[in-house]
Amino acid sequence: MKIQFDILRKSRAIILKEIENLSLEELHKIPNGFKNNIIWNVAHIVVTQQLLHYGLTGLNLLCPDDLVEAHRKGTAPTKTFTEEELNELKELLMGLPDTLEEDFEAGIFENYKEYPTSTGYVLSSIENAISFNNFHEGIHYGIIRALKKCI
């Protein structure tokens, strides 16, 4: 599983690098033909990881409830982030993979609730969920890159 955590950390570092020189205005822009923006995708990545790993094992999520409600599957951008909120989001983006690995090694992910994803893949264990989450984040990295080209 170590490689999965390494992939997660590396992919998030790449995402952070993609957005580091963008203004708040650019992060919030929704180009024609898109239904969301860059900052929504970043927040969605953080929220989905928490829901797939902690939520489906009945554990408390490690990100704010309002972030979850505004960026979970099926939502659209409604929130305008301040610079301070963006910095908090970046801290979650980069810090939560370490916490996930520590919690995984501590064995806290018991009683995983089976979950059929929208891709048709059924998650049945925390190991499946960690691998699937990396795939999910790759999709959103591609979307972030496409959005960036359009702003």
Side-chain angles (χ1 to χ4, degrees):
M1 286 301 295
K2 175 114 178 84
I3 186 121
Q4 295 298 330
F5 297 114
D6 292 344
I7 290 168
L8 178 58
R9 276 189 283 274
K10 180 64 173 171
S11 67
R12 288 191 174 195
I14 291 168
I15 290 168
L16 188 61
K17 186 173 172 133
E18 278 294 329
I19 68 169
E20 71 184 350
N21 293 318
L22 298 177
S23 68
L24 279 175
E25 182 181 334
E26 290 170 320
L27 290 169
H28 287 95
K29 182 174 175 67
I30 303 174
N32 288 338
F34 289 87
K35 62 181 180 177
N36 53 45
N37 54 33
I38 291 172
I39 201 162
W40 181 91
N41 277 275
V42 174
H44 176 73
I45 285 168
V46 169
V47 165
T48 300
Q49 181 267 315
Q50 288 292 294
L51 289 168
L52 291 178
H53 302 148
Y54 291 84
L56 290 173
T57 50
L59 299 169
N60 291 329
L61 306 186
L62 306 177
C63 61
D65 292 341
D66 61 332
L67 190 72
V68 174
E69 292 311 311
H71 299 93
R72 69 185 322 138
K73 179 179 169 183
T75 64
T78 57
K79 177 177 178 42
T80 301
F81 284 75
T82 65
E83 197 70 45
E84 182 180 335
E85 290 168 326
L86 172 60
N87 289 333
E88 291 169 4
L89 179 61
K90 288 177 181 178
E91 287 177 21
L92 289 170
L93 181 74
M94 298 311 296
L96 288 174
D98 292 337
T99 306
L100 174 64
E101 185 172 20
E102 290 166 10
D103 289 344
F104 179 81
E105 289 173 358
I108 72 164
F109 298 106
E110 299 175 357
N111 305 317
Y112 193 86
K113 181 181 175 188
E114 192 171 273
Y115 177 73
T117 69
S118 56
T119 64
Y121 187 77
V122 178
L123 303 179
S124 58
S125 70
I126 188 63
E127 292 84 2
N128 294 156
I130 291 168
S131 296
F132 179 82
N133 182 69
N134 285 344
F135 163 74
H136 174 261
E137 292 195 11
I139 291 170
H140 286 278
Y141 170 63
I143 294 168
I144 289 167
R145 292 208 43 184
L147 285 162
K148 188 175 173 183
K149 288 182 180 187
C150 294
I151 55 172

